[in-house]
């Protein structure tokens, strides 16, 4: 409806605080007119939850994410794209709220369906693999997380190439996992490759490039390579300005 369109436009423009009122009003109207189990109502419930997530109001987002998933499963079916998206959204929210064990279950539930419907090399399947790895990592299970991160990276390299942002994110995640395990020699080439590619593709001042500068700098410091990590060595990191 018009209220939801207005809210979407405000959200797209970064006007998050102004989007809440039309989203809430639009949802109330749809609940009353169409009913709670109508597909448009389910989309509206999800939209309000996503807004709260974007505002970091996670306690308000979670019940809406759970309601979206419960209704999507029952009304649309467990294999519907909106249901699978709802599973992914809830899983990522749960990780943000410190409930990585339940998030892992969400992602594992989705993985089998995605592999069966979309294939092993579909981006949504690969993202789900990576999310399982993230959920395991957040549970302090790095050895269990590693094969998921490695498999996601291998599939993204094959599907999208070495320079794709999704490939670089997977590479960065695997580097972070190795760093957390103290496997600095395995982490360093990954962090260096991500930094080189992000610098070339995104530029020195892009937030992802700055993240990579920091990741490599922290790793080099941990390895005792103090001069290079500080940037006062002939082969040092070039800092983004």
């Amino acid at each position: 409806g018009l209220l939801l369109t207005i809210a979407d436009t405000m959200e797209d423009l970064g006007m998050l605080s102004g989007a809440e009122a039309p989203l809430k009003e639009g949802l109330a109207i749809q609940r009353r007119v169409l009913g709670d189990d109508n597909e448009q109502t389910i989309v509206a419930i999800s939209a309000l939850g996503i807004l709260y997530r974007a505002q970091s109001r996670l306690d308000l987002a979670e019940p809406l994410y759970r309601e979206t998933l419960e209704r999507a499963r029952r009304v649309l079916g467990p294999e519907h794209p909106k249901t699978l998206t709802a599973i992914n959204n809830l899983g990522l929210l749960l990780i943000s709220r410190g409930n990585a064990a339940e998030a892992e279950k969400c992602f594992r539930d989705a993985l089998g369906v995605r592999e069966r419907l979309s294939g092993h090399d579909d981006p949504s399947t690969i993202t789900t693999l990576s999310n399982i790895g993230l959920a395991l990592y957040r549970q302090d299970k790095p050895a269990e997380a590693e094969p998921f991160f490695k498999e996601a990276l291998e599939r993204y390299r094959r599907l999208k190439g070495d320079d794709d942002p999704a490939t670089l994110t997977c590479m960065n995640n695997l580097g972070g996992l190795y760093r957390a395990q103290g496997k600095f020699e395995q982490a360093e080439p990954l962090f260096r490759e991500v930094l080189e590619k992000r610098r070339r593709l995104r530029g020195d001042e892009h937030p992802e490039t700055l993240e990579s500068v920091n990741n490599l700098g922290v790793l080099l410091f941990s390895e005792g390579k103090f001069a290079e990590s500080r940037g006062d060595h002939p082969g040092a990191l070039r800092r983004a300005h």
Side-chain angles (χ1 to χ4, degrees):
L2 178 60
L3 287 167
L4 293 178
T5 302
I6 293 171
D8 289 342
T9 301
M10 298 177 82
E11 192 170 348
D12 289 342
L13 294 173
M15 302 164 64
L16 294 178
S17 59
E20 181 179 359
L23 275 177
K24 288 177 72 173
E25 186 176 351
L27 174 57
I29 292 171
Q30 289 188 320
R31 285 190 192 274
R32 185 171 65 252
V33 175
L34 301 176
D36 289 340
D37 285 345
N38 182 273
E39 184 172 351
Q40 291 183 46
T41 305
I42 295 170
V43 171
I45 295 167
S46 176
L48 183 57
I50 289 169
L51 174 68
Y52 288 144
R53 175 71 179 87
Q55 294 175 326
S56 298
R57 299 162 75 183
L58 306 186
D59 57 326
L60 296 179
E62 183 174 336
L64 292 170
Y65 276 29
R66 289 187 183 278
E67 183 180 359
T68 299
L69 177 55
E70 186 275 325
R71 294 190 187 282
R73 270 189 175 136
R74 180 161 43 77
V75 176
L76 304 176
E79 298 184 351
H80 192 281
K82 286 187 174 69
T83 303
L84 295 173
T85 297
I87 292 173
N88 185 70
N89 289 346
L90 178 59
L92 292 174
L93 179 73
L94 290 169
I95 286 178
S96 297
R97 300 208 72 192
N99 190 354
E102 187 180 356
E104 178 193 347
K105 184 179 184 306
C106 286
F107 296 137
R108 287 188 185 275
D109 286 346
L111 180 61
V113 177
R114 289 198 182 276
E115 287 183 331
R116 186 171 68 256
L117 295 180
S118 304
H120 285 70
D121 285 340
D122 186 82
S124 64
T125 303
I126 303 171
T127 297
T128 304
L129 267 177
S130 182
N131 286 343
I132 293 173
L134 179 61
L136 289 165
Y137 176 68
R138 292 294 180 85
Q139 294 175 75
D140 296 319
K141 298 177 179 179
E144 293 180 44
E146 183 176 341
F148 287 96
F149 281 153
K150 290 174 75 172
E151 181 66 21
L153 176 56
E154 180 185 330
R155 292 188 194 182
Y156 265 132
R157 280 193 197 270
R158 186 169 65 245
L159 180 69
K160 292 177 171 288
D162 289 344
D163 289 349
D164 188 84
T167 304
L168 297 179
T169 295
C170 282
M171 201 180 300
N172 190 65
N173 288 346
L174 184 58
L177 179 72
Y178 285 145
R179 182 181 62 192
Q181 292 176 294
K183 298 177 179 179
F184 299 147
E185 291 183 358
Q186 291 172 262
E188 185 175 332
L190 292 171
F191 279 156
R192 286 191 184 277
E193 183 176 355
V194 173
L195 175 57
E196 182 275 324
K197 292 182 185 300
R198 282 178 170 173
R199 181 172 272 143
R200 173 166 50 82
L201 297 167
R202 301 287 204 183
D204 282 353
E205 297 183 5
H206 192 278
E208 290 180 357
T209 306
L210 297 174
E211 176 195 34
S212 290
V213 169
N214 182 70
N215 286 344
L216 182 56
V218 169
L219 178 71
L220 291 169
F221 190 85
S222 299
E223 291 181 284
K225 299 178 180 179
F226 304 122
E228 189 176 2
S229 70
R230 288 198 305 270
D232 56 3
H233 182 274
L237 297 173
R238 289 178 294 131
R239 299 289 178 179
H241 301 293

